[in-house]
Amino acid sequence: MLNHKNIVLRKVQKSEFELLYALITQDEKWTKYNGPYFPYSTPSKLEFESGLFKRLCEGDKTLAIEVDGNLVGNVSYYWECESTHWLEIGIVIYDSNYWSNGIGRNALIPWINCLFDTLEIERVGLTTWSGNPRMMACAKNLGLKQEARLRKVRYHQGVYYDSVKYGVLRSEWLASK
């Protein structure tokens, strides 16, 4: 379990299945910002159980975000290339009532700390798209540097958007603490 301000990052309990399933399926506004150019359909309970819910219960690469006792989203990481230690992070706040309140930033601080503390990595990356200005602002507010902008490579609803890549080096992150 990781804490920062009023935020807790933690594994979920099996008893939280229905609560989490409702969280991701009842208010799907989040799908408009979380890579909407990739196909998405609401998962069945079985798909959710064997996918995201399983990863949240394991708590290795994905943790739930709890704010003041309420589950609102999750943080995660994945290997872009594990053999070269190229790691990327992700975050989703499913409950739109919690958007624009600094929760993403405050959840990513302990997550990035944890990754640098526990993994042999020198950089944490975060990739988003120009159609998600809140995520771009969050990355900048955390001190991540824009490292690349691939122009007009994300096509969504008849419009081209940029893919925007941010990153922070271990030395930069530690110096900012």
Side-chain angles (χ1 to χ4, degrees):
M1 186 170 3
L2 305 170
N3 300 291
H4 181 73
K5 297 191 177 184
N6 63 333
I7 296 187
V8 175
L9 304 180
R10 65 174 179 83
K11 291 195 251 187
V12 300
Q13 304 300 313
K14 295 209 183 285
S15 62
E16 296 175 302
F17 177 84
E18 292 295 335
L19 174 70
L20 281 164
Y21 184 74
L23 176 67
I24 70 159
T25 59
Q26 287 180 353
D27 175 4
E28 290 188 327
K29 289 180 193 167
W30 62 271
T31 64
K32 294 178 178 157
Y33 299 97
N34 190 43
Y37 34 81
F38 294 123
Y40 172 81
S41 60
T42 302
S44 68
K45 285 187 175 184
L46 184 60
E47 290 167 331
F48 175 66
E49 183 177 29
S50 63
L52 178 59
F53 187 71
K54 180 180 179 191
R55 293 191 306 275
L56 285 165
C57 287
E58 292 167 350
D60 298 329
K61 295 181 180 179
T62 307
L63 292 174
I65 301 169
E66 182 182 296
V67 178
D68 297 327
N70 298 307
L71 292 173
V72 300
N74 70 268
V75 292
S76 61
Y77 81 84
Y78 64 93
W79 293 107
E80 185 71 33
C81 181
E82 190 170 4
S83 65
T84 62
H85 302 222
W86 179 356
L87 178 137
E88 294 276 316
I89 58 173
I91 182 168
V92 181
I93 307 296
Y94 298 107
D95 187 337
S96 61
N97 294 310
Y98 287 87
W99 291 356
S100 301
N101 293 318
I103 291 166
R105 179 185 185 283
N106 288 324
L108 287 174
I109 290 170
W111 188 233
I112 294 171
N113 285 337
C114 175
L115 296 173
F116 278 132
D117 288 348
T118 60
L119 299 173
E120 187 180 325
I121 55 172
E122 285 300 315
R123 177 188 170 276
V124 168
L126 182 152
T127 301
T128 189
W129 63 301
S130 59
N132 191 346
R134 284 188 301 271
M135 192 70 251
M136 294 188 311
C138 179
K140 289 177 194 172
N141 288 335
L142 283 165
L144 279 69
K145 294 181 178 12
Q146 183 178 316
E147 298 174 333
R149 178 177 286 262
L150 302 160
R151 297 175 299 157
K152 299 191 183 260
V153 296
R154 297 295 187 200
Y155 187 73
H156 177 60
Q157 295 183 334
V159 179
Y160 284 97
Y161 295 90
D162 300 345
S163 178
V164 188
K165 296 184 169 288
Y166 295 90
V168 64
L169 301 178
R170 177 187 295 273
S171 59
E172 295 166 340
W173 185 255
L174 294 176
S176 72
K177 285 180 138 184

